Amino acid sequence: MASHRRPKQPTRTRVTVLTVTAAAAVALSGQAANAAPAKPSKDEVKSKVDALYEEAEQATEKFSKAKEHQDQLEKEIGQLQDQVARGQEELNTLRGTLGSMASAQYRTGGIDQSLALFLSADPDNYLDKASTLEQLSGKQVEAVQKIQAKQRGLAQQRQEAAGKLADLDATRKELGDKKKASADKLAEAQALLNTLTAQERAQLKDEDTRASRSEGERVDLGNVKPSGRAGAALAAAQTKLGSAYISSATGPNAFDCSGLTQWAYKQAGVNISRTTFTQINDGTRIGKSQLQPGDLVFFYGDLHHVGLYAGNNTVLHASNPRGGVKYESINNMPFQFGVRVG
């Protein structure tokens, strides 16, 4: 027969120990939950900030590309609108000529009904009806055909302008999006930097400066003798060492990466395009072993960063908001290819 003994009750001492232990566990877990997260180290902040700078630069180059497209569209739209205005004036003149013919015909015995159709309040409906031309004189036929051609040309130009205006609206929206994306990343990076002490921020700046100086000395040790326009571009860029990096800046006191390369080549008398995405087509592509001082060098899979080859495996570039214009080892970034301008 099964036993139905009453379970042994815990002693008062045991209950007290269990209660104290449980309370301690709850207190410790509460402290762990409320404990502030460990402050990231200077190197961790640097790594995160560099990644954010990278994302901001991607957005900046896309912004600059969209801005360039917007400027081109506005120029083309302006030209089309001028053409349409001139075309409308020419069309009015042609209609005036046709009206003069009708007036002369009326004075000599009445206006031809076909000609009256072209001069009616809604002549466009009749201009494509070639059969009516058979009833007009040679000069009248010629005038009507000119009006037809001019109207078709104006319709095409207006349609083209409308398409470009729609493209312009989309481009302006893209501009706003890319500008905001870049600004957001830079603000996030600055917030991270603000978690460091003033001394730690100064140390980061000093590290960048010393690294740039060291790479510059490597260039000198390589006995680099740049020449030609590429050499002149590099020499111009070297005068901007230490200048600030500012998104979308093109000099002369601050630059982004493609703004520096464009400015440097302009000082050498060569006009290259504005963004990394177009500068890749401003010359002949070459490999790392073919690089000479002043060649453009492109980095990252999406080609959003560019600098000038300075020799001895060193790049001179507008790096980021913390480093500014500086020398850096070509091996610090994922090199894609070089471009020899001219």
Side-chain angles (χ1 to χ4, degrees), residues 190-330:
Q190 189 58 52
L192 268 173
L193 286 173
N194 290 343
T195 66
L196 299 177
T197 65
Q199 182 180 3
E200 287 173 325
R201 290 196 295 271
Q203 286 173 349
L204 283 179
K205 182 66 176 176
D206 185 55
E207 287 169 9
D208 278 330
T209 301
R210 283 189 283 109
S212 177
R213 188 183 303 120
S214 175
E215 291 300 329
E217 290 169 356
R218 279 174 49 79
V219 171
D220 293 336
L221 289 171
N223 295 317
V224 175
K225 297 288 189 292
S227 61
R229 291 182 172 181
L234 176 59
Q238 287 170 329
T239 67
K240 296 302 177 181
L241 272 169
S243 293
Y245 177 106
I246 296 179
S247 296
S248 302
T250 57
N253 299 316
F255 306 87
D256 63 15
C257 68
S258 54
L260 175 65
T261 51
Q262 184 189 49
W263 178 88
Y265 265 94
K266 187 174 182 180
Q267 309 318 299
V270 181
N271 290 321
I272 64 174
S273 53
R274 172 62 187 91
T275 71
T276 60
F277 308 120
T278 51
Q279 288 180 7
I280 59 174
N281 299 317
D282 285 339
T284 305
R285 295 190 186 187
I286 53 178
K288 186 183 287 188
S289 63
Q290 300 169 284
L291 290 174
Q292 295 177 6
D295 287 337
L296 299 175
V297 279
F298 294 87
F299 301 92
Y300 301 96
D302 64 353
L303 306 172
H304 70 263
H305 191 73
V306 64
L308 292 162
Y309 185 63
N312 208 16
N313 280 327
T314 299
V315 177
L316 178 59
H317 65 144
S319 58
N320 56 46
R322 190 185 66 252
V325 178
K326 67 176 186 175
Y327 287 112
E328 189 163 356
S329 169
I330 198 172

Side-chain angles (χ1 to χ4, degrees), residues 52-225:
L52 287 167
Y53 282 157
E54 202 64 45
E55 293 174 21
E57 186 172 57
Q58 288 175 315
T60 294
E61 285 300 311
K62 290 175 182 177
F63 168 85
S64 297
K65 182 181 179 182
K67 181 70 170 65
E68 199 170 42
H69 184 49
Q70 174 186 260
D71 293 344
Q72 182 62 30
L73 280 173
E74 288 176 343
K75 180 180 177 181
E76 291 173 0
I77 289 169
Q79 291 172 342
L80 277 171
Q81 289 173 335
D82 288 344
Q83 290 172 10
V84 167
R86 288 195 300 270
Q88 188 62 53
E89 289 177 3
E90 292 171 8
L91 180 59
N92 293 340
T93 300
L94 288 171
R95 282 177 168 164
T97 301
L98 197 60
S100 298
M101 290 181 187
S103 297
Q105 195 176 71
Y106 179 77
R107 287 195 298 271
T108 58
I111 185 169
D112 187 292
Q113 289 302 308
S114 298
L115 187 57
L117 289 176
F118 288 113
L119 296 171
S120 66
D122 189 19
D124 295 353
N125 292 336
Y126 301 96
L127 285 176
D128 289 327
K129 296 180 180 178
S131 61
T132 62
L133 297 179
E134 298 173 0
Q135 303 174 41
L136 303 178
S137 69
K139 284 186 177 181
Q140 291 170 339
V141 167
E142 183 181 356
V144 169
Q145 287 174 335
K146 284 182 179 179
I147 290 176
Q148 287 176 318
K150 183 57 66 177
Q151 285 184 319
R152 282 193 292 267
L154 279 173
Q156 184 177 350
Q157 287 172 337
R158 287 190 177 109
Q159 185 176 4
E160 186 179 354
K164 288 184 182 295
L165 283 167
D167 193 3
L168 181 59
D169 285 342
T171 300
R172 283 174 173 160
K173 182 180 184 304
E174 182 185 1
L175 270 174
D177 292 343
K178 299 305 179 189
K179 186 174 184 179
K180 183 179 185 303
S182 177
D184 288 349
K185 294 299 179 183
L186 290 174
E188 190 176 348
Q190 189 58 52
L192 268 173
L193 286 173
N194 290 343
T195 66
L196 299 177
T197 65
Q199 182 180 3
E200 287 173 325
R201 290 196 295 271
Q203 286 173 349
L204 283 179
K205 182 66 176 176
D206 185 55
E207 287 169 9
D208 278 330
T209 301
R210 283 189 283 109
S212 177
R213 188 183 303 120
S214 175
E215 291 300 329
E217 290 169 356
R218 279 174 49 79
V219 171
D220 293 336
L221 289 171
N223 295 317
V224 175
K225 297 288 189 292

